[in-house]
Amino acid sequence: MEGNIFEKILGQDSLFIDRKAFDHAFEPSRLPHREHEVDALVRNLVDALNGHIPSNMLLYGVPGSGKTVVTRFVLGQLRQKGKEMGQIVNTYEINCRNVDTKYRVVQTIASQLARRGDPPVPFTGWPTDRVLETLVMRMNRAGGVHIIVLDEVDNLVDRAGDDLLYALTSLNTVLDNGRCSIIGISNDLHFTQHLDPRVSSRLSQEDVVFHPYVATEIQNILGERASMGIREGVLDEGVIKLCAALAAQEHGDARRALDLLRISVQKSEQRAQSKVDTRHVRLAQSQLEYDQVTPVLKTLPLHQKLVLFSICLNEENGLRNISTGEVYRTYADACGKIGIEPLTTRRVSSLLNELDTIGLIMARNVSKGRGGRSKQVNSAIPKAIDAISLMSENEPLINEASLGKYHLQGHL
Ligand SMILES: Nc1ncnc2c1ncn2[C@@H]1O[C@H](COP(=O)(O)OP(=O)(O)OP(=O)(O)O)[C@@H](O)[C@H]1O
Ligand SMILES: [Mg+2]
């Protein structure tokens, strides 16, 4: 091989001007179609600058609807205004998917308030009350207003209960030099139903719902990002439109749309092409689907895999809308072939519900007349993905089951 193997790629002109514009952590300075949400936050948080206590807030919305980016933007502006006005504004952003215990959340905030000479609060080991006391002491010491953002807060409540929320929403009663307000962010509209009523009424003093973006809104978001991040003239007409349409179908997820656009450009670059067209978007879409589904398929528990295997097998045989009875028959047959005991129909029925919840199948109830109902299922796995091989990869029993002969119902 002539020359250094990196040279060819290094010399290639990138179609991006700034790939960072597509990083998930990128914070755009304009947020089209989120004016109402920004306004709701600003109207409430202005109390932080007026010497009052802003209400606690709950922000809801589907993934990719801009909850995190809007909150960061508003808090950034609030800190800046606070500085200009000589007001103390402390903000904390905790992602409760990573920081998922009461202790860790309190420890994280307390550590952010540490000053030189303070003893470090250890990651574990202290009684929770002691960490909480340290936090209150440091919040009083800092003074001013404290805005605590608990992003993806439903994760924390699922795992650790609502103890933390109770403690944090009580802080104002124990702070004598400082005011505190909580912003919870969640995907789950019904999240407060899992909370103690005292906690939920304190936390959701003001709710803001981020509606899912529609295709035209996503087009505008993509258009702005493209002009920052992608060289002019590179995108064929229709590329942004298609990315937006695909992401709009997927519950209006702006993150998904940005990923689609970035991967489409990369697909073109990998082929050393100078333009991006809708074929690249299609490639990007299948890659995203593949990346999304593959790890889930590979790591399903054995019986889940066998149930899904039974559905796939029937579909390979040309059958759609398979009844749960038919799924069970094939499943029991497969269990027999690999020498394991099948679960009860009741258990299999709940496994089907779980597969439906994680989006690998679509189940629907159909009326069978005279009040009878039955369930029909279809696979929701994209056609290009070979589910049975993927499930077999780290589960030899699936492979063994797939080698057997089955008596499947014929075409209906
Ligand atoms: N109105 C907007 N203008 C520009 N970019 C946006 C807008 N809304 C969302 N984005 C971008 O879309 C991506 C997803 O937004 P964000 O992370 O805020 O979603 P989210 O609602 O917090 O989702 P999740 O529930 O999954 O955490 C980010 O890259 C963000 O920059
Ligand atoms: Mg978020």
Side-chain angles (χ1 to χ4, degrees), residues 256 285-286 288-290 292-294 297 359-360 379-387 390:
R256 173 79 171 200
Q285 168 81 343
S286 12
L288 276 175
E289 279 172 347
Y290 185 85
Q292 230 170 12
V293 170
T294 318
L297 279 176
L360 290 176
S379 148
I381 303 166
K383 294 242 163 2
I385 293 174
D386 182 351
L390 285 167

Side-chain angles (χ1 to χ4, degrees), residues 64 66-69 95 151-152 185 187 255:
K67 301 177 299 294
T68 301
V69 79
N95 188 308
D151 203 350
E152 312 198 29
I185 303 181
N187 285 147
R255 183 184 298 115

